[in-house]
């Protein structure tokens, strides 16, 4: 099997943590993290939902790329959850309005 880039694996890891990845994707991730400490750390951090921001240099100019991806991933999941909650609320309001206007 050809070596899969960490970026691809880290995209799959977010699905893996949410139990949404296919069995084949799970196998790819599990085989990859055996040899890749960055992706293994990324997975462990996502599992614990911890955000750790280690500074790369003294001037606080750069943050480790794995940590940036973790922050982005958590933000995306939070946005998706909020949008889903908003959608459910809108559906409830619309249905409630329709039922109030209906005469039985």
């Amino acid at each position: 099997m050809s070596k899969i880039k960490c970026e691809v694996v880290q995209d799959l890891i977010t699905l893996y943590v949410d139990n949404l990845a296919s069995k084949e994707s799970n196998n790819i991730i599990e085989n990859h993290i055996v040899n890749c400490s960055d992706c293994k750390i990324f997975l462990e951090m996502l599992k614990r939902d911890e955000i750790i921001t280690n500074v790369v240099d003294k001037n606080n100019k750069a943050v480790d790329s794995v940590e940036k991806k973790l922050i982005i991933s958590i933000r995306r999941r939070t946005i998706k959850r909020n949008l889903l909650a908003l959608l459910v609320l809108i559906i409830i309001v619309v249905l409630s309005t329709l039922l109030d206007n209906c005469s039985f």
Side-chain angles (χ1 to χ4, degrees):
M1 176 174 23
S2 63
K3 180 166 170 58
I4 298 176
K5 291 183 178 182
C6 289
E7 290 176 339
V8 174
V9 172
Q10 289 177 5
D11 285 342
L12 291 173
I13 285 175
T14 58
L15 296 173
Y16 179 84
V17 169
D18 291 334
N19 295 318
L20 298 173
S22 67
K23 289 180 183 178
E24 185 175 341
S25 295
N26 289 345
N27 289 335
I28 290 170
I29 293 165
E30 290 163 2
N31 290 330
H32 180 85
I33 63 173
V34 168
N35 299 314
C36 180
S37 61
D38 284 345
C39 289
K40 186 174 185 175
I41 291 169
F42 183 77
L43 173 61
E44 290 169 359
M45 289 169 62
L46 271 180
K47 282 184 176 179
R48 288 185 254 134
D49 265 348
E50 290 182 4
I51 300 174
I52 301 172
T53 52
N54 292 326
V55 177
V56 174
D57 63 12
K58 292 180 183 176
N59 296 325
N60 297 332
K61 289 183 181 176
V63 177
D64 185 60
S65 66
V66 172
E67 293 167 353
K68 281 183 181 179
K69 289 179 182 179
L70 174 63
I71 292 168
I72 290 169
S73 173
I74 291 172
R75 284 181 182 161
R76 284 182 184 159
R77 287 195 311 176
T78 302
I79 289 170
K80 287 178 185 177
R81 287 179 186 152
N82 289 343
L83 288 175
L84 180 61
L86 179 61
L87 179 62
V88 169
L89 179 63
I90 289 171
I91 290 171
I92 290 171
V93 169
V94 168
L95 288 175
S96 174
T97 304
L98 290 174
L99 289 174
D100 283 344
N101 293 333
C102 240
S103 41
F104 291 99

